Amino acid sequence: MQIKDSSQAERIVFLDYLRVIACFMVIMVHSCEFFFIDGDSIGIRSVSDGFWVSAIDSAFRSSVPLFVMASSYLLLPMKGSSQHFFKRRFVRVVVPFAVWSLLYAILPWSWGDITYTDVQANLLQLLWNFNGASGHLWFIYMLIGLYMFMPVLSPWLKETSKRGEQVFLLIWFLTTFWHYGKLLVGDVYGECYWNEFHTFWYFSGFIGYLVLAHYIRTYINWSLKKSLLVGVSLFLIGYLFTAIVYYHRTFTATQLQELELSWRFCSFNVVFMTFGAFLIVKKISFGKGRIYNFILQLSKLSYGIYLMHIFILGFSYKLLEGYFSTPVTILLVGTSTFCGCCILAKLLSYLPGSKYIVG
């Protein structure tokens, strides 16, 4: 996503690559959904489909955390006033989010996927949440919440020591085992039906990725060799755990929530993958030439690509469905959707006021 701040003297090259990579990963994740989701139920049609979804989707589970880290890498601690910070976020993030929320609520009516009554229900639901056609926008709600917390977090990051951040990240990392532990012992540390705010609640969730991004920026400057060794090792460990657990649960899970246990973005295995991937991408320094100029353009459009991709994804799948094997279909749907969104986002960027549409 586009996160360049006005105080930034020059672009951080690897962040442009990271946004493009994370955007493509998100689209690949959603390309797999045609092969394991049926409405609100599990829709795996064969053992082979279960294997390929495990292998492909699991490889891209760090997509959302990488977006979070890219969105905070230059923003924390905050520079300037909170008023200026929120004004920029409102124009660049909230307004396009509102525009696309309305489009997802209304446009499917034009090609017959929903009725006029559905449109009315969708518009009403936008008062409190996304609707069924725009499930991927859950991420923006979460991101806005993180932005709202940044003025609270920033003073602490300015004052705390390296050890202070390490202690926070250690406690946060322990919480990433939480939903696995609950399978064994149930509610813990004060959890009960009248209180979900357990002892470590305030150290859990996506806030950990904000602190992790700041910690990497401030304290980790490893050599290429060490970054690759640690990064690749952590990514592979996280990936294997993620894929194996998911594949095993394709034979036992009865609900999507159970099936996707190891895919949760704030689980330790996805943290491993995210940290590993971030270390690797951070060493990219190709900031000149045609390749980088191309990446730069896509990076500037990445938020718009994310917002619109579900529209293109459905059409891509309908065109390619039934012609190829499962893994080939997933790759073709994801790649064609990404390319189509890049072209459409670029065209929209030429419109007056395009920042209100594609960010």
Side-chain angles (χ1 to χ4, degrees), residues 131 166 214 272:
N131 55 65
Q166 288 174 340
H214 178 269
F272 277 9

Side-chain angles (χ1 to χ4, degrees), residues 103-295:
L103 290 175
Y104 280 105
I106 298 170
L107 274 188
W109 176 55
S110 66
W111 53 77
D113 279 359
I114 59 176
T115 66
Y116 181 71
T117 301
D118 293 327
V119 172
Q120 292 177 309
N122 288 342
L123 292 174
L124 179 62
Q125 186 167 342
L126 289 181
L127 295 176
W128 61 83
N129 209 347
F130 57 84
N131 55 65
S134 58
H136 66 300
L137 297 185
W138 73 269
F139 170 78
I140 312 302
Y141 288 90
M142 178 271 293
L143 186 64
I144 292 171
L146 292 179
Y147 284 152
M148 292 169 63
F149 196 75
M150 283 184 182
V152 179
L153 187 61
S154 288
W156 176 73
L157 287 174
K158 291 178 181 178
E159 297 296 329
T160 193
S161 64
K162 179 179 180 180
R163 181 57 58 89
E165 284 194 54
Q166 288 174 340
V167 171
F168 179 95
L169 288 171
L170 175 60
I171 299 174
W172 171 68
F173 183 65
L174 293 176
T175 70
T176 65
F177 293 86
W178 208 255
H179 56 276
Y180 296 117
K182 286 174 65 67
L183 293 177
L184 300 175
V185 297
D187 293 340
V188 293
Y189 300 126
E191 279 186 304
C192 48
Y193 76 84
W194 63 87
N195 174 52
E196 67 271 32
F197 306 106
H198 54 76
T199 302
F200 301 109
W201 173 278
Y202 304 100
F203 289 85
S204 63
F206 287 95
I207 188 176
Y209 288 114
L210 300 185
V211 179
L212 181 60
H214 178 269
Y215 185 86
I216 293 173
R217 182 187 181 193
T218 308
Y219 299 112
I220 295 182
N221 188 25
W222 295 341
S223 66
L224 175 62
K225 181 179 180 180
K226 183 175 180 180
S227 295
L228 290 178
L229 177 62
V230 176
V232 172
S233 298
L234 286 177
F235 186 87
L236 289 177
I237 292 170
Y239 168 67
L240 288 174
F241 183 93
T242 304
I244 291 171
V245 171
Y246 176 90
Y247 182 66
H248 173 73
R249 294 181 77 81
T250 62
F251 300 100
T252 59
T254 58
Q255 297 180 336
L256 280 173
Q257 294 93 323
E258 298 173 2
L259 178 64
E260 298 184 5
L261 177 71
S262 65
W263 281 0
R264 297 186 186 180
F265 297 116
C266 295
S267 60
F268 81 91
N269 43 293
V270 176
V271 171
F272 277 9
M273 295 174 68
T274 303
F275 186 36
F278 198 93
L279 290 177
I280 296 168
V281 178
K282 188 173 182 286
K283 305 309 291 186
I284 298 177
S285 58
F286 308 113
K288 297 180 180 180
R290 293 181 178 179
I291 293 178
Y292 176 67
N293 288 335
F294 179 69
I295 292 295

Side-chain angles (χ1 to χ4, degrees), residues 27-98:
I27 293 174
M28 288 303 303
V29 164
H30 291 151
S31 298
C32 292
E33 292 184 352
F34 299 105
F35 296 93
F36 75 92
I37 294 179
D38 181 13
D40 295 325
S41 304
I42 297 173
I44 299 176
R45 290 167 287 195
S46 67
V47 173
S48 175
D49 278 7
F51 170 80
W52 284 115
V53 169
S54 303
I56 298 174
D57 198 313
S58 297
F60 299 113
R61 295 315 295 184
S62 58
S63 52
V64 166
L66 288 173
F67 258 139
V68 171
M69 294 179 70
S71 296
S72 65
Y73 191 82
L74 294 178
L75 293 181
L76 286 175
M78 286 172 49
K79 306 173 184 66
S81 67
S82 296
Q83 182 179 5
H84 175 71
F85 174 82
F86 285 119
K87 182 178 179 180
R88 287 183 60 83
R89 303 283 81 72
F90 181 80
V91 173
R92 295 295 184 182
V93 176
V94 177
V95 174
F97 161 63

